Amino acid sequence: MLKSFFVTTLPQTCLVGLALGLSFFTTAQAQVTEKSVRETVASAIVAQPAAAQRELILSLKLKPSAEAVEWFGKWKEGAIFLLDDAAGVKTPVILTGAAAADDSFATLRVSDGTPLLGADGAAVRINPKEVEFAETDSGIRRAMKEVTDVVALADPDISKRLRAIQDAAVGQKVEKLPALQLLKTTEKNPLALRALEESIAIIQLRSPLVAERIGACQKLGDLGSLAALGTIKTILAETESAKDRPLVLAAEKAISAIGSHISRINAAGTAFRGISLASVLLVVAIGLAITFGLMGIINMAHGELIAVGAYTTYVIQNIFASGLNLSPFGMSISIPGMHLSAGGMDLYFVVALPASFLAAALVGLVLERTVIQFLYRRPLESLLATWGISLVLQQLFRLIFGANNVQVSSPSWLSGNWTVNDVVFGWNRVFVIGFAALIIVVTWLVLNKTSLGLLIRAVMQNRNMAACMGVRTERVNMMTFAFGCGLAGLAGAFLSQIGNVGPSLGQNYIVDAFMTVVVGGVGNILGTVISAFGIGMADQSLQQYLGNPVIGKILVLGAIILFLQWRPAGIFVTRSRSLD
Amino acid sequence: MTAQPITGRIQLPLLIVASVFLVGVMPLLNAYGLIEDFTLNLWGKYLCYGIMAISIDLLWGYTGLLCLGQALFFTLGGYMMGMHLMLMIGKLGQYKSNLPDFMVFLGHSKIPAFWQPFYSFPFALAMVFLVPALLAYVFGYLAFRSRIKGVYFSILTQALTYGAALLFFRNDLLMGGNNGFTDFRTLLGMDLRVASTQRILYICTALLMVSVVAGCKWLTHSRFGLIQRAIRDSENRVLFSGYATANFKLFIFVVSAMIAAFAGALYVPQVGIINPSEMTTEKSLEAVVWVALGGRGTLVGPVVGAISVNALKSWATRAYPDLWVLILGGSFVLVVMFMPKGIVGLPAQILTILSKISRKQQSIDSPPSISEPETIDP
């Protein structure tokens, strides 16, 4: 949607205006109005002398089109051949069709695309090795380059146009200025306009007028141009020796302005990464906040339930594509694929989300029935038993899916990014943030607004009392645990989009997840949210500040231990009169 | 943990026989070539693990503190010994330099100041105890002061271990990065590669283990041990009786850290390598498995568990490399669920079940006139 919005902003009319402003056409101007692009190219090829050739080529600037660039390409490659007729007039032709037995090809005129006919009315066939081809010299190629640049500047695709504008500044060639300034009068797209201003100012840094150079410095400082930083530094070094006081001042000011822009970008980037890490922590920890926080089960297999979700996503992706062959325990399981096109593939993630929730919830249900239900009164032992389970699950992943990471590709609507004011926002990260918010809201609603939530809270607060009131605690335990595990599965579907999917996926997150829940205060969803944000932001800021992820992480772990000195039960304490 | 009537009576002679066998008979058999050098070396390793398991049991089985950082203390002790051994390589290393190979590789030209004193063996030995003890003291002080207990203590020790492992994986800590220390040559002038040195190391390990078992036996049967177990069973009652439970816990935490560290220090010259992958929480949890499997709350159980799990591991990793982890994880779940007292408690458990069955049989034969209060297995 965004793309189509940009594409329509450059009407073809402005191109004519651009062309008319270019002043160095005299004779060619009249011809170009009646001649098509290929006719112009054809006449340029045979024109004499070289100056006339250049003039004809440059006349194409008036009608910037991709077609001209295409013909130039053929010309430069030597794919255009010159045929003399009886009168000695050369006709440029291209080859067409397949080679005959004598290596000859049929020909087409460059000027109008019709077959070239000989004197006898039959189509002329030529052997490319025997006929001379149209040559180019450096002057011609330079003229072609000029036209190509103009064509690129007029490209209707905004991303290509932007690149052309930015490329124009490279080398700071003053002669490129008129074309850019002209484009600026007609350009409507704000991004392109900004890029134009930037490129013009960068070129103006090399202007012969000192006032213009100072103006350019100011402009670039105001724009916070990252591309110009190096150039301005060079200018500063040069002018300091030339003792040009006002320019030096302007350059210094521009550099400091750009510097503060960079630090603003970094701060914004850090904040964004912090929030996105916090969301990841939150998504990973929210399931644990339920199984550990509410139920008191130390589920060391939580990480493996995350991996169950991630692998489910992987399987669904392959079902949508070309299927999957698995060979666990010497068996051979072949899952057929649906071979969907790219558009259908993009939908796989929509299916994978609920599927990974259900898969992990199912595994959780089985675990609860077989092992965990016997350990509700022995939390330390639940830690050990679930660790055993986590070992078993990890090994099962290895046996089923292999020890290496598997490939999960993001749907196209999750890959890509926005760049706002030089700060890059990856769509997958933005999506994680939005999704974390959604999960929190849903979890809160389930716990606080449904009858199941009421039962869950009752059983967690006092299991015996709830049982006395007729609550089927066993069933509630089962549902709660399965719900927590399902949330872990959802987290896995997410992590598959932003990281590697492998057997030890869960291990990378388990310590962080436990820390988040412990700091937040057990049994409190809001506490988990706040602690996830605290830990995420602290981690990313320290990383940015120290430039070292590991030391940052260690400091965060240390800070958590100290924080628990101050608030041993976490941010939010569940008040209770019971002692142990 | 009251002593079981039958197992209690035969325990002491059995212990003495086992100690004599481990300390005296095995090295003798090895000296006469009846036990392979490899086997003796393997048993030396098992015994080191056994000592670490005792240190875990001292915390978990006797005080109720499940520490997931014991592998950290074990490895720290190993690293301190490793630093001395690295310096003893001298110019025999690959780069023919006074510096340990990894430092040459990282481009250092001088031995850093904190490495210098490790040329002295007594200093290294002192550090084996002091560094882990200091870490345990600081962490324990902070944790016990704010009454962090139960699963929170476990999770925090897990985080501590995780953080330390991250740190030791870095090259700029100058502790060898992820390759750690290896390629040791001599210890106190003895060549580490000959069988007789390894035999001496084995005897040291076995002696250490016997003395640790004896020392812990004395400690747990003293008044201190009584309070220790009281803390495990109900910390609040002990607190309200006027005992500063935090100090008791801190003491036992530091002692167990030192025991684990000493085991680590003996482990390194026997195995010949130490690296940060030994420091991960998985290793700690694995050691907790030994204790649980062998039987916690006893002193012999952890050793039995450590030896049997590792012997099983040595065999299964060769016989079923893919399934080994499944066996370990699965057996762990089963032990936790069905054998809360582990291998050592198995005879007693079977006896209880048998007596229950026979009592049921009796009650069917002759209908009871008075209903007995049912005894429930805790």
Side-chain angles (χ1 to χ4, degrees):
Chain A
M1 267 218 323
L2 275 170
K3 269 183 192 157
S4 65
F5 168 74
F6 288 132
V7 168
T8 52
T9 51
L10 191 78
Q12 291 294 318
T13 48
C14 76
L15 300 179
V16 180
L18 162 71
L20 288 175
L22 304 173
S23 54
F24 35 80
F25 300 111
T26 48
T27 52
Q29 203 170 339
Q31 295 167 5
V32 91
T33 44
E34 64 248 23
K35 275 190 178 176
S36 72
V37 171
R38 55 192 305 164
E39 277 170 351
T40 317
V41 172
S43 49
I45 291 169
V46 294
Q48 286 294 337
Q53 280 188 310
R54 284 202 293 276
E55 200 168 284
L56 273 166
I57 291 170
L58 288 171
S59 75
L60 285 168
K61 274 185 168 178
L62 296 174
K63 238 190 198 175
S65 68
E67 198 190 350
V69 177
E70 206 177 299
W71 283 112
F72 290 160
K74 285 184 181 154
W75 189 351
K76 280 190 273 189
E77 284 163 16
I80 296 179
F81 297 90
L82 294 173
L83 284 185
D84 292 330
D85 64 5
V89 178
K90 290 181 192 298
T91 316
V93 294
I94 53 168
L95 306 178
T96 183
D102 58 346
D103 288 340
S104 68
F105 288 84
T107 54
L108 294 176
R109 280 177 213 267
V110 172
S111 55
D112 52 9
T114 54
L116 182 66
L117 302 177
D120 52 356
V124 177
R125 295 185 73 86
I126 55 167
N127 186 338
K129 290 203 181 90
E130 290 162 6
V131 188
E132 72 166 317
F133 57 87
E135 290 181 40
T136 55
D137 61 23
S138 61
I140 290 175
R141 280 197 296 271
R142 225 177 295 130
M144 284 178 180
K145 179 80 172 72
E146 265 184 55
V147 177
T148 314
D149 285 348
V150 173
V151 170
L153 281 177
D155 201 299
D157 183 354
I158 178 67
S159 60
K160 283 187 186 156
R161 197 157 79 238
L162 271 177
R163 203 175 314 129
I165 293 170
Q166 280 154 1
D167 286 348
V170 176
Q172 298 174 292
K173 296 262 163 51
V174 182
E175 58 270 21
K176 289 190 181 163
L177 218 44
L180 290 172
Q181 273 164 338
L182 190 70
L183 186 57
K184 196 178 149 194
T185 57
T186 53
E187 179 66 65
K188 298 281 192 312
N189 186 302
L191 283 175
L193 269 176
R194 191 180 179 282
L196 272 173
E197 284 185 353
E198 194 176 341
S199 288
I200 290 172
I202 291 177
I203 296 176
Q204 277 175 344
L205 283 176
R206 284 274 170 237
S207 154
L209 302 171
V210 176
E212 213 165 58
R213 300 176 79 177
I214 294 174
C217 280
Q218 273 167 352
K219 186 83 202 165
L220 289 170
D222 292 346
L223 286 172
S225 162
L226 303 182
L229 188 59
T231 331
I232 298 180
K233 278 184 178 159
T234 337
I235 296 275
L236 184 64
E238 283 170 13
T239 45
E240 259 177 345
S241 54
K243 305 229 173 17
D244 192 344
R245 204 63 207 136
L247 187 55
V248 169
L249 279 179
E252 276 169 352
K253 216 169 145 195
I255 289 173
S256 77
I258 295 173
S260 62
H261 179 63
I262 290 177
S263 58
R264 272 197 301 277
I265 293 173
N266 285 344
T270 305
F272 175 67
R273 280 193 303 276
I275 293 173
S276 98
L277 176 66
S279 309
V280 171
L281 283 179
L282 196 54
V283 171
V284 169
I286 191 77
L288 206 61
I290 288 174
T291 52
F292 171 46
L294 287 174
M295 302 181 74
I297 295 294
I298 319 298
N299 188 5
M300 294 293 275
H302 185 76
E304 278 57 48
L305 288 161
I306 293 174
V308 166
Y311 276 116
T312 308
T313 311
Y314 168 71
V315 170
I316 299 277
Q317 172 198 274
N318 279 293
I319 289 176
F320 271 62
S322 55
L324 190 61
N325 285 309
L326 299 173
S327 51
F329 306 107
M331 292 181 288
S332 173
I333 301 171
S334 171
I335 303 172
M338 301 200 289
H339 299 281
L340 291 186
S341 59
M345 268 308 287
D346 275 356
L347 288 177
Y348 91 85
F349 194 56
V350 179
V351 180
L353 280 179
S356 51
F357 180 90
L358 290 177
L362 194 69
V363 174
L365 205 64
V366 172
L367 286 187
E368 205 274 344
R369 282 295 91 187
T370 51
V371 178
I372 290 171
Q373 64 159 327
F374 303 107
L375 301 171
Y376 280 119
R377 283 168 208 287
R378 299 188 282 169
L380 277 182
E381 272 145 72
S382 77
L383 186 158
L384 298 177
T386 49
W387 185 66
I389 293 168
S390 107
L391 280 186
V392 170
L393 285 177
Q394 269 182 56
Q395 189 63 18
L396 284 178
F397 295 146
R398 262 183 220 116
L399 292 176
I400 297 173
F401 296 101
N404 296 329
N405 289 341
V406 296
Q407 187 66 43
V408 177
S409 53
S410 296
S412 62
W413 43 275
L414 278 185
S415 44
N417 53 49
W418 278 314
T419 308
V420 180
N421 235 338
D422 294 327
V423 186
V424 181
F425 296 92
W427 286 346
N428 55 358
R429 299 262 167 196
V430 174
F431 191 47
V432 168
I433 295 172
F435 191 76
L438 186 73
I439 285 188
I440 295 304
V441 171
V442 169
T443 310
W444 185 83
L445 285 177
V446 167
L447 287 180
N448 289 294
K449 300 287 169 196
T450 65
S451 53
L452 174 70
L454 188 68
L455 295 181
I456 290 176
R457 283 179 293 143
V459 171
M460 299 322 142
Q461 276 169 22
N462 194 329
R463 188 169 279 130
N464 292 336
M465 187 57 78
C468 291
M469 304 300 265
V471 178
R472 297 166 73 178
T473 53
E474 281 221 341
R475 209 168 149 168
V476 173
N477 283 336
M478 205 168 84
M479 302 285 280
T480 319
F481 193 76
F483 181 56
C485 292
L487 288 179
L490 270 187
F494 257 88
L495 296 182
S496 74
Q497 301 299 313
I498 54 175
N500 295 329
V501 177
S504 56
L505 166 75
Q507 293 299 308
N508 303 331
Y509 291 98
I510 189 77
V511 174
D512 290 329
F514 270 113
M515 286 294 119
T516 308
V517 177
V518 168
V519 170
V522 164
N524 192 308
I525 302 287
L526 182 64
T528 309
V529 175
I530 293 176
S531 88
F533 273 82
I535 294 174
M537 292 301 276
D539 189 317
Q540 286 298 320
S541 325
L542 281 172
Q543 223 178 80
Q544 176 75 32
Y545 181 69
L546 298 168
N548 185 331
V550 175
I551 300 288
K553 207 167 175 80
I554 292 167
L555 283 181
V556 169
L557 287 176
I560 289 172
I561 292 173
L562 288 180
F563 174 81
L564 291 177
Q565 291 299 301
W566 173 49
R567 293 195 82 101
I571 299 173
F572 290 101
V573 185
T574 316
R575 301 213 177 277
S576 158
R577 279 163 192 268
S578 68
L579 195 60
D580 287 6
Chain B
M1 282 290 140
T2 47
Q4 266 82 41
I6 301 168
T7 45
R9 237 177 297 150
I10 56 167
Q11 220 174 27
L12 195 63
L14 210 63
L15 270 182
I16 292 169
V17 170
S19 323
V20 170
F21 181 76
L22 285 175
V23 179
V25 179
M26 282 207 21
L28 260 177
L29 288 176
N30 173 246
Y32 287 104
L34 292 170
I35 291 180
E36 277 180 61
D37 293 341
F38 174 76
T39 315
L40 193 76
N41 190 241
L42 204 62
W43 273 79
K45 198 171 116 184
Y46 293 167
L47 294 188
C48 287
Y49 284 147
I51 300 169
M52 169 157 73
I54 295 177
S55 81
I56 289 176
D57 193 37
L58 210 53
L59 281 176
W60 184 32
Y62 285 94
T63 326
L65 295 166
L66 179 56
C67 174
L68 299 184
Q70 219 63 12
L72 170 62
F73 300 129
F74 182 81
T75 320
L76 269 183
Y79 261 103
M80 295 303 125
M81 181 57 87
M83 282 168 89
H84 175 70
L85 292 173
M86 281 309 266
L87 290 176
M88 285 301 108
I89 297 174
K91 285 196 194 300
L92 295 172
Q94 218 170 2
Y95 291 104
K96 314 289 172 215
S97 157
N98 267 330
L99 272 75
D101 281 349
F102 75 89
M103 284 193 200
V104 181
F105 185 71
L106 290 175
H108 291 269
S109 56
K110 235 177 79 197
I111 290 179
F114 73 98
W115 273 72
Q116 288 289 356
F118 281 88
Y119 273 114
S120 135
F121 181 74
F123 179 84
L125 202 59
M127 284 299 123
V128 165
F129 290 107
L130 285 182
V131 171
L134 191 70
L135 179 67
Y137 182 82
V138 171
F139 181 81
Y141 176 78
L142 291 175
F144 299 134
R145 195 187 65 122
S146 51
R147 295 199 201 165
I148 290 171
K149 54 187 166 190
V151 292
Y152 295 94
F153 182 73
S154 308
I155 291 170
L156 272 188
T157 48
Q158 186 192 20
L160 177 76
T161 315
Y162 179 63
L166 285 181
L167 195 66
F168 271 77
F169 269 116
R170 293 186 58 77
N171 277 332
D172 44 14
L173 190 70
L174 287 179
M175 296 295 271
N178 55 353
N179 294 320
F181 302 151
T182 186
D183 205 20
F184 308 127
R185 304 291 165 124
T186 58
L187 175 64
L188 293 173
M190 296 180 294
D191 191 346
L192 280 171
R193 291 162 183 199
V194 297
S196 61
T197 315
Q198 288 296 335
R199 201 179 307 131
I200 294 171
L201 281 170
Y202 169 82
I203 295 173
C204 289
T205 313
L207 274 176
L208 175 71
M209 189 171 83
V210 170
S211 43
V212 164
V213 170
C216 290
K217 191 123 200 141
W218 168 77
L219 188 70
T220 51
H221 282 75
S222 66
R223 285 174 55 83
F224 180 88
L226 203 64
I227 293 167
Q228 209 186 333
R229 274 172 286 156
I231 289 174
R232 175 191 68 192
D233 295 337
S234 175
E235 186 173 348
N236 282 317
R237 292 190 198 179
V238 182
L239 198 62
F240 297 154
S241 310
Y243 292 94
T245 55
N247 294 350
F248 281 87
K249 291 199 282 187
L250 189 55
F251 176 78
I252 203 73
F253 189 50
V254 172
V255 166
S256 93
M258 290 202 290
I259 293 175
F262 202 1
L266 280 167
Y267 173 84
V268 169
Q270 293 187 73
V271 175
I273 184 166
I274 182 84
N275 61 38
S277 63
E278 297 284 326
M279 204 184 263
T280 49
T281 28
E282 287 94 85
K283 293 281 173 185
S284 292
L285 276 159
E286 216 181 305
V288 173
V289 179
W290 308 333
V291 180
L293 202 78
R296 66 197 162 105
T298 65
L299 287 170
V300 185
V303 182
V304 172
I307 293 174
S308 51
V309 172
N310 280 296
L312 180 71
K313 186 178 181 176
S314 299
W315 168 75
T317 42
R318 258 173 292 153
Y320 305 102
D322 280 348
L323 300 180
W324 145 245
V325 181
L326 292 184
I327 297 172
L328 178 77
S331 62
F332 196 25
V333 176
L334 292 180
V335 166
V336 169
M337 285 174 64
F338 300 114
M339 285 165 55
K341 284 174 189 160
I343 298 174
V344 175
L346 204 57
Q349 209 180 349
I350 292 170
L351 281 181
T352 326
I353 294 170
L354 283 179
S355 69
K356 255 188 198 164
I357 292 170
S358 65
R359 211 183 305 151
K360 251 185 205 156
Q361 205 67 41
Q362 274 174 7
S363 63
I364 291 166
D365 291 346
S366 56
S369 48
I370 317 151
S371 61
E372 258 185 280
E374 199 150 309
T375 47
I376 299 164
D377 202 38

